[in-house]
Amino acid sequence: MRNILLGILILFSFNAKSQSDLIFSNKLSVRLAPLSLIDFYNGSCYKIGLEVSLFKSTSITADYGGYFKNFNVWKNYTGYNIDVGLKYYLKHQLHQGFYISLNYFYKNQGFDYKDSIKEASSAYYTEYRTQKYVTCVNINIGMLNLYNKRFILDFFGGIGIRYKNVSSSISIDDLKNGIEYNDSQSLYFIVTPGEFIYPNINLGLRIGVKII
């Protein structure tokens, strides 16, 4: 009886290991960024990407995004963004669980916005265009989990540095006289022309499907 129980345990362990190996096999997956669809600060964006394993503990990621034409008060969006990364998983050969990644992000984005510009004794309503070029490098810490051997949930966050180059179809003096511009703290960071370097806090979520 004891030998039978031992045999069952060995068989169960072997089967569990086989299933575990199957679950942890994450050599190729496709993924989406659902939170980008409701990004009120940067504009509604669709993102689709891949994760491909390179070595036992390393993989590369690549995401491409485009903007929906109109979202919230921002109109006539154009442009794209790309995000490429190198992941190192802390548990070898699993390609899931905790990881550290180095990511490079680039954004080319343009949009229109309307505001009332105050002059000495009057105000006029105008629409102006903002064009942005953003480059960012981040170090992230994240966790990727597989569910039902197929579905991927990937949370991550990190810090980095961001360089932003912004141009506007109206002058900075006109912008400063904008009624909504002066009433909104966020508009300063979104539409003010110039070159800026900021620290960057990066938080994100990816959902996906394992292919291999």
Side-chain angles (χ1 to χ4, degrees):
M1 183 66 179
R2 185 177 178 181
N3 290 335
I4 293 174
L5 290 175
L6 182 59
I8 292 174
L9 287 173
I10 293 173
L11 182 62
F12 178 81
S13 299
F14 178 81
N15 184 57
K17 184 179 186 302
S18 298
Q19 290 181 359
S20 177
D21 288 342
L22 179 61
I23 292 172
F24 293 151
S25 174
N26 181 28
K27 297 180 180 179
L28 172 64
S29 60
V30 295
R31 59 194 206 151
L32 301 171
L35 297 182
S36 296
L37 298 172
I38 53 171
D39 189 337
F40 293 94
Y41 183 82
N42 294 299
S44 181
C45 172
Y46 58 87
K47 285 185 180 182
I48 185 169
L50 295 171
E51 178 169 345
V52 183
S53 65
L54 289 179
F55 307 108
K56 291 180 178 180
S57 58
T58 308
S59 65
I60 57 172
T61 60
D63 297 88
Y64 174 85
Y67 298 94
F68 294 101
K69 185 176 180 180
N70 299 307
F71 179 71
N72 205 13
V73 296
W74 320 106
K75 306 299 180 184
N76 300 316
Y77 266 108
T78 59
Y80 64 91
N81 59 71
I82 57 173
D83 190 337
V84 294
L86 180 66
K87 279 184 173 182
Y88 178 79
Y89 287 90
L90 302 184
K91 290 186 177 180
H92 299 298
Q93 303 183 38
L94 300 184
H95 290 97
Q96 77 158 336
F98 285 105
Y99 64 83
I100 300 172
S101 69
L102 177 65
N103 284 72
Y104 170 81
F105 175 81
Y106 175 78
K107 175 169 71 175
N108 177 333
Q109 181 193 66
F111 55 85
D112 296 332
Y113 185 72
K114 293 180 179 180
D115 198 358
S116 295
I117 309 300
K118 291 194 303 182
E119 293 183 333
S121 59
S122 64
Y124 66 94
Y125 200 57
T126 188
E127 182 175 272
Y128 58 89
R129 186 157 187 84
T130 300
Q131 181 66 44
K132 291 184 177 184
Y133 302 96
V134 177
T135 299
C136 186
V137 177
N138 281 296
I139 297 176
N140 296 321
I141 297 174
M143 170 171 274
L144 185 148
N145 287 319
L146 281 167
Y147 299 94
N148 294 326
K149 307 176 185 179
R150 181 66 60 183
F151 300 104
I152 289 172
L153 192 61
D154 185 356
F155 293 96
F156 59 89
I159 58 173
I161 189 167
R162 171 186 293 250
Y163 167 76
K164 181 171 68 171
N165 188 336
V166 184
S167 60
S168 178
S169 62
I170 64 173
S171 69
I172 184 63
D173 291 331
D174 286 337
L175 275 176
K176 289 179 178 179
N177 290 326
I179 294 175
E180 293 185 22
Y181 181 84
N182 284 282
D183 286 341
S184 171
Q185 295 180 348
S186 61
L187 275 178
Y188 173 83
F189 295 100
I190 295 174
V191 301
T192 301
E195 296 184 49
F196 309 91
I197 297 177
Y198 295 122
N200 190 70
I201 298 176
N202 188 37
L203 296 172
L205 166 68
R206 297 289 188 272
I207 59 174
V209 179
K210 181 178 73 70
I211 305 300
I212 302 175

